[in-house]
Amino acid sequence: DAMVIQNPRYQVTQFGKPVTLSCSQTLNHNVMYWYQQKSSQAPKLLFHYYDKDFNNEADTPDNFQSRRPNTSFCFLDIRSPGLGDAAMYLCATSQRAGGTGELFFGEGSRLTVL
Amino acid sequence: GEDVEQSLFLSVREGDSSVINCTYTDSSSTYLYWYKQEPGAGLQLLTYIFSNMDMKQDQRLTVLLNKKDKHLSLRIADTQTGDSAIYFCAEMDTDKLIFGTGTRLQVFP
């Protein structure tokens, strides 16, 4: 059974039209991450939540926002998508404090910007 | 910032061994990881190694860690066509996983 579920798997939007990607988890992990992965590149961390504490990476554009209304759900909002925002967006979870620090990834949401 | 480097491509014949190499920069990483990504999919953890170990074997996978040189390798024995994918090494930096550039493994019959 999938433990980190991302919706939608594929999203097509127009230049400048806002998009929201969602992620849900059944693992009850306290950390949730959003990564951006462009074609043939490594995943790049945008931000992460440790419980409700939001941690933004210094080079994440202001165009990207996130919400975590409860432990299970996390959203990625792209306010005004540009052509350069076309990518795979990966959600992941982990349990801080103890364990191996393994991240559990969803299958990703592929964003196309027209 | 941290930099995790890998060679971009590796091509091997089915049945041979594959060795994927990685160099990292953060010597304080407690764990180092290998993830596999198949086309259009998320990342799947293959294996990890604790930083005070120098080798870990898990079925067809062998991880070697040289802390002095900050070098990590993944050996896949008896490589199969289903092993064709992109392999990422990664180090943990205070809750953040920093990925290498990825190595695309192609297995041919």
Side-chain angles (χ1 to χ4, degrees):
Chain A
D1 288 337
M3 297 177 287
V4 181
I5 301 166
Q6 291 188 241
N7 282 299
R9 292 291 314 278
Y10 301 93
Q11 175 74 59
V12 180
T13 191
Q14 291 178 326
F15 184 95
K17 188 171 179 184
V19 160
T20 294
L21 306 177
S22 77
C23 178
S24 64
Q25 55 137 337
T26 59
L27 299 162
N28 205 34
H29 282 170
N30 53 15
V31 190
M32 293 187 78
Y33 306 81
W34 280 105
Y35 282 85
Q36 178 193 62
Q37 186 179 25
K38 295 189 177 180
S39 182
S40 303
Q41 294 184 20
K44 178 179 178 297
L45 183 64
L46 294 173
F47 22 60
H48 73 281
Y49 275 94
Y50 174 38
D51 290 329
K52 292 190 175 184
D53 292 336
F54 177 70
N55 298 273
N56 199 34
E57 292 301 295
D59 55 356
T60 297
D62 292 341
N63 198 25
F64 291 88
Q65 305 284 321
S66 186
R67 296 169 283 137
R68 189 179 187 188
N70 53 54
T71 301
S72 301
F73 285 88
C74 195
F75 299 95
L76 171 62
D77 300 308
I78 308 175
R79 292 191 297 187
S80 182
L83 298 178
D85 297 328
M88 175 80 92
Y89 290 89
L90 297 165
C91 174
T93 72
S94 74
Q95 186 66 22
R96 190 195 271 193
T100 62
E102 177 185 353
L103 265 64
F104 292 79
F105 282 85
E107 289 293 299
S109 293
R110 182 169 294 283
L111 177 67
T112 300
V113 182
L114 301 178
Chain B
E2 297 78 17
D3 237 353
V4 184
E5 302 277 345
Q6 299 177 237
S7 51
L8 290 180
F9 297 102
L10 177 66
S11 186
V12 299
R13 189 180 299 277
E14 191 174 16
D16 286 352
S17 293
S18 308
V19 179
I20 302 171
N21 294 301
C22 170
T23 56
Y24 62 97
T25 55
D26 187 355
S27 58
S28 65
S29 297
T30 305
Y31 290 96
L32 294 146
Y33 308 84
W34 283 103
Y35 280 82
K36 176 183 180 183
Q37 186 177 35
E38 298 187 5
L43 279 78
Q44 172 197 358
L45 179 69
L46 278 181
T47 188
Y48 63 90
I49 188 166
F50 190 51
S51 58
N52 69 353
M53 299 169 65
D54 51 21
M55 187 182 91
K56 179 180 179 182
Q57 188 152 2
D58 184 1
Q59 299 183 334
R60 291 191 298 123
L61 305 178
T62 302
V63 180
L64 296 178
L65 175 60
N66 180 329
K67 283 196 75 174
K68 174 175 165 291
D69 294 338
K70 296 181 186 171
H71 183 265
L72 182 73
S73 69
L74 174 70
R75 179 176 179 270
I76 305 173
D78 187 25
T79 313
Q80 303 296 306
T81 54
D83 295 324
S84 294
I86 301 176
Y87 291 81
F88 291 96
C89 64
E91 60 177 353
M92 184 65 78
D93 170 40
T94 325
D95 287 338
K96 299 185 298 184
L97 205 59
I98 308 296
F99 287 94
T101 45
T103 299
R104 183 179 295 274
L105 174 65
Q106 183 177 24
V107 183
F108 57 93

